[in-house]
Amino acid sequence: MKLSLDAKIKQCMGALGLQIDEQIRKRLLIYQEELLRWNKKINLTAVCDPEESVEKNLVDSVTVLPFIPEGSRLLDMGSGAGLPGIPVAVARSDLKVFSLEAVAKKIHFQRHAARMVGLANFSPCHGRIEDYERLLDKEDLFDVVVARALTELPQLMEWASPYLKKSGLLIAMKGPREGHLSETEGNNNLEKFVLRANQSILLPVSRARRHLLIFEKR
């Protein structure tokens, strides 16, 4: 018998050791419904099938949760459709989640989705990552910066550093061929960070490999 989307998300998260209650799962599925509906008008995600989206958008996004300290200010850098920022904010009401995205129509979608889901701990910002001097209040640096499939590590480190507090975490969400550090060799930005974890994750249905590279700012 075919599983409902709620049963599927519960099963996938359970396979990865993630426990998320029914009300949170319902809110995640409301977000996904809006994501796929808007995706017919504007390009938000390459994953259009609802069942596939449960695993590759929702579940993939929340794999970062065990690595985010309680009460953190978190920046989703280059957030696109709000992935992973919106699912993370839905799952963790203790966090203050901010997203930064340069494409105005994607920020418009994020604002709409946040209203539909009823998010009080999520703030989208329209701007370019490089404009940190204009965007950032130095007294409000972030505890965590997360980026999902955004760019190569040297560039990611350069972008993330001005936004992070000392000892803040950079979580780079990478694909199957990107869970290594060879691309950082000879890169001066690596001196600003120390690798704390390289977590390999196998998505339970597609068996797609993911890597979470967790760096601490020196």
Side-chain angles (χ1 to χ4, degrees):
M1 186 172 65
K2 188 175 181 179
L3 293 176
S4 68
L5 293 181
D6 179 67
K8 188 174 183 67
I9 192 173
K10 183 179 180 181
Q11 182 185 69
C12 286
M13 290 186 178
L16 295 173
L18 299 169
Q19 301 299 321
I20 293 181
D21 68 35
E22 182 180 4
Q23 288 304 312
I24 290 175
R25 296 197 306 270
K26 285 181 178 179
R27 294 172 74 201
L28 289 173
L29 289 171
I30 290 171
Y31 164 70
Q32 177 178 278
E33 183 178 358
E34 293 304 308
L35 172 66
L36 297 182
R37 184 170 70 86
W38 277 56
N39 198 53
K40 295 174 182 178
K41 300 181 290 183
I42 62 175
N43 182 29
L44 293 171
T45 176
V47 182
C48 301
D49 175 74
E51 290 194 14
E52 187 180 4
S53 179
V54 162
E55 182 189 44
K56 293 187 176 178
N57 285 333
L58 300 183
V59 175
D60 185 33
S61 289
V62 299
T63 56
V64 300
L65 293 180
F67 303 95
I68 301 173
E70 186 175 355
S72 292
R73 279 174 51 85
L74 179 145
L75 176 65
D76 178 7
M77 195 167 64
S79 58
L83 296 164
I86 290 179
V88 166
V90 170
R92 289 278 298 276
S93 60
D94 62 293
L95 304 176
K96 292 182 179 179
V97 179
F98 299 79
S99 74
L100 179 57
E101 170 56 46
V103 179
K105 62 185 178 181
K106 294 181 179 180
I107 285 292
H108 182 53
F109 165 73
Q110 289 185 31
R111 289 176 179 145
H112 165 78
R115 287 194 299 270
M116 294 296 291
V117 176
L119 277 181
N121 62 329
F122 177 78
S123 301
C125 177
H126 179 218
R128 297 172 69 249
I129 295 168
E130 300 91 335
D131 293 340
Y132 63 88
E133 290 183 343
R134 178 179 65 84
L135 297 169
L136 192 62
D137 186 334
K138 295 297 183 182
E139 295 181 358
D140 290 324
L141 295 176
F142 293 92
D143 303 295
V144 180
V145 169
V146 63
R148 182 176 184 255
L150 181 59
T151 188
E152 294 182 351
L153 279 172
Q155 182 65 76
L156 197 57
M157 290 171 169
E158 181 179 341
W159 281 344
S161 184
Y163 290 94
L164 274 172
K165 294 177 179 178
K166 183 180 179 182
S167 300
L169 299 179
L170 166 61
I171 303 178
M173 304 178 72
K174 293 289 192 175
R177 293 178 295 278
E178 301 173 298
H180 54 81
L181 301 178
S182 60
E183 64 187 82
T184 66
E185 291 176 1
N187 170 36
N188 292 334
N189 289 304
L190 189 56
E191 297 176 0
K192 302 175 185 176
F193 293 89
V194 58
L195 181 67
R196 290 303 185 200
N198 183 350
Q199 183 72 38
S200 178
I201 293 169
L202 195 65
L203 295 181
V205 178
S206 65
R207 312 304 288 175
R209 179 72 61 182
R210 299 288 188 265
H211 293 277
L212 300 180
L213 300 173
I214 297 99
F215 295 91
E216 181 180 334
K217 185 178 178 181
R218 296 182 190 269

